[in-house]
Amino acid sequence: MSNFILRRTFGLVFVLAGVSLFTFFLAQIIPVDPAASALGQNAREAQIAAYREELGLDRPIPEQYFRYVKRLLQGDLGRSIRTRRPILADLRDFFPATLELSLAALFVSVALGVPLGILAALRRNTWTDGFARLIALIGGSMPIFYVGLLALGIFYRQLQWLPGQGRLDPTLSPPIEFSGLFVVDALASGNWEVLQNALWHLILPALTLGYFSTALLLRITRSAMLEVLSQDYVITARAKGVKERLVVLKHIFKNALPSIFTTVGLTFGSLLSGAVLTETIFGWPGLGRYATNSISNLDLPAVMGVTLVAAFLYPLVNTLVDIGYGFVDPRVRLD
């Protein structure tokens, strides 16, 4: 296990080095001066030149890159041109919102996708199976931005059942910060009003972000269950008179679990790094919205910082999934 973790860590270093190189030189070929864009149209040439010197943009490109890598090795992602704050501080403020939304969306995906996939496999070619496959088809074909706008239009504007944008109502203050997750912090501090309000605000964005993943998880679960259903040990267990509930849980679902576990892990990684549209539609103050605002304002250091975080999170989640295989399936060896 230790050798496996060391190899994955070594590979992660190469991934981050490649991403840093790619994003840095991609930023160099953009035909826009970040300093001039940050200072505005009324800035004078002398002010632009001074700000370029302050940011180090007047130095040769190789020197800029090596200075950038040196700062990265020291844990310094630079300073945002838009917010004028350290990028690491910005990411520390915005990441908990993305994590909370991703966890809620993952809960929606697992709570809906896995049971529907199991029912579809056990009742193959019935109306239950047809209904589940219809949900998977619609979920895989409808884009996230359309689902989000549709949900806002129906449940917020027309029916007024659920709140719209943001993590809390404007009249409420965030709970005492412990983890940055409003639900966890409100629960830890016993602030039940904020807890209820935070949960209500989570429903629409979590359903929107988790809808596509629900369709994917449903298909994978159904396929994995169907593959196990035809195995000899399942037929033998049923012939011995083992209760159907035990057959499903102990023989079918347990052996289909590795495929489902893989999909859940990859889904969580994609949710963490791909919540841009959902956060923009619902005004969710997470990494996705931070990246969108940074791109709109040509804040290249902030965009590079978000890209590095996303490039780190996805392989990290994959590594954790591979480690979890040893617990889900004892037959798997991590050599």
Side-chain angles (χ1 to χ4, degrees), residues 44-203:
R44 299 178 181 179
E45 290 295 332
Q47 293 175 316
I48 296 175
Y51 194 44
R52 284 179 57 84
E53 183 178 358
E54 179 185 345
L55 296 176
L57 299 176
D58 59 331
R59 301 179 181 274
I61 292 179
E63 182 180 350
Q64 291 184 44
Y65 177 70
F66 284 113
R67 293 180 64 183
Y68 174 63
V69 173
K70 183 180 178 180
R71 291 197 306 267
L72 286 181
L73 294 176
Q74 296 173 349
D76 182 10
L77 297 179
R79 186 173 292 271
S80 170
I81 298 176
R82 180 174 61 92
T83 65
R84 306 297 177 91
R85 299 178 62 208
I87 296 174
L88 192 61
D90 283 343
L91 297 180
R92 194 163 44 239
D93 290 342
F94 287 100
F95 178 71
T98 297
L99 178 61
E100 185 173 49
L101 177 58
S102 300
L103 288 172
L106 184 67
F107 174 78
V108 170
S109 301
V110 174
L112 296 179
V114 173
L116 284 175
I118 294 175
L119 286 176
L122 295 178
R123 301 178 182 179
R124 185 180 182 182
N125 296 328
T126 64
W127 70 268
T128 304
D129 185 22
F131 176 72
R133 284 187 290 178
L134 179 63
I135 292 178
L137 178 63
I138 296 175
S141 59
M142 293 179 64
I144 288 180
F145 72 88
Y146 179 77
V147 175
L149 293 175
L150 188 65
L152 275 176
I154 295 176
F155 296 103
Y156 169 64
R157 185 173 181 180
Q158 297 295 331
L159 300 177
Q160 298 183 356
W161 289 354
L162 296 170
Q165 297 185 335
R167 300 178 71 185
L168 285 175
D169 287 343
T171 56
L172 294 178
S173 300
I176 300 174
E177 186 171 352
F178 171 71
S179 64
L181 311 180
F182 281 4
V183 173
V184 176
D185 293 346
L187 187 62
S189 60
N191 195 333
W192 309 118
E193 182 182 7
V194 171
L195 174 62
Q196 181 183 10
N197 196 262
L199 289 173
W200 278 107
H201 277 80
L202 261 176
I203 293 176

Side-chain angles (χ1 to χ4, degrees), residues 303-321:
V303 174
M304 294 164 64
V306 174
T307 304
L308 282 174
V309 170
F312 173 77
L313 288 176
Y314 200 85
L316 176 64
V317 172
N318 288 345
T319 302
L320 295 177
V321 169

Side-chain angles (χ1 to χ4, degrees), residues 239-269:
K240 288 181 176 180
V242 178
K243 294 182 179 180
E244 185 65 17
R245 180 173 59 85
L246 294 179
V247 172
V248 172
L249 293 178
K250 188 175 181 180
H251 295 282
I252 303 176
F253 180 71
K254 184 177 180 180
N255 287 279
L257 189 57
S259 299
I260 300 172
F261 185 75
T262 303
T263 307
V264 170
L266 296 178
T267 296
F268 184 55

Side-chain angles (χ1 to χ4, degrees), residues 2-61:
S2 59
N3 291 334
F4 172 79
I5 295 176
L6 286 176
R7 289 199 306 270
R8 282 303 184 93
T9 304
F10 190 66
L12 184 59
V13 171
F14 276 98
V15 170
L16 293 177
V19 171
S20 68
L21 183 65
F22 177 77
T23 54
F24 178 82
F25 285 103
L26 187 63
Q28 301 303 314
I29 64 176
I30 296 177
V32 176
D33 188 351
S37 176
L39 294 177
Q41 298 179 353
N42 298 324
R44 299 178 181 179
E45 290 295 332
Q47 293 175 316
I48 296 175
Y51 194 44
R52 284 179 57 84
E53 183 178 358
E54 179 185 345
L55 296 176
L57 299 176
D58 59 331
R59 301 179 181 274
I61 292 179

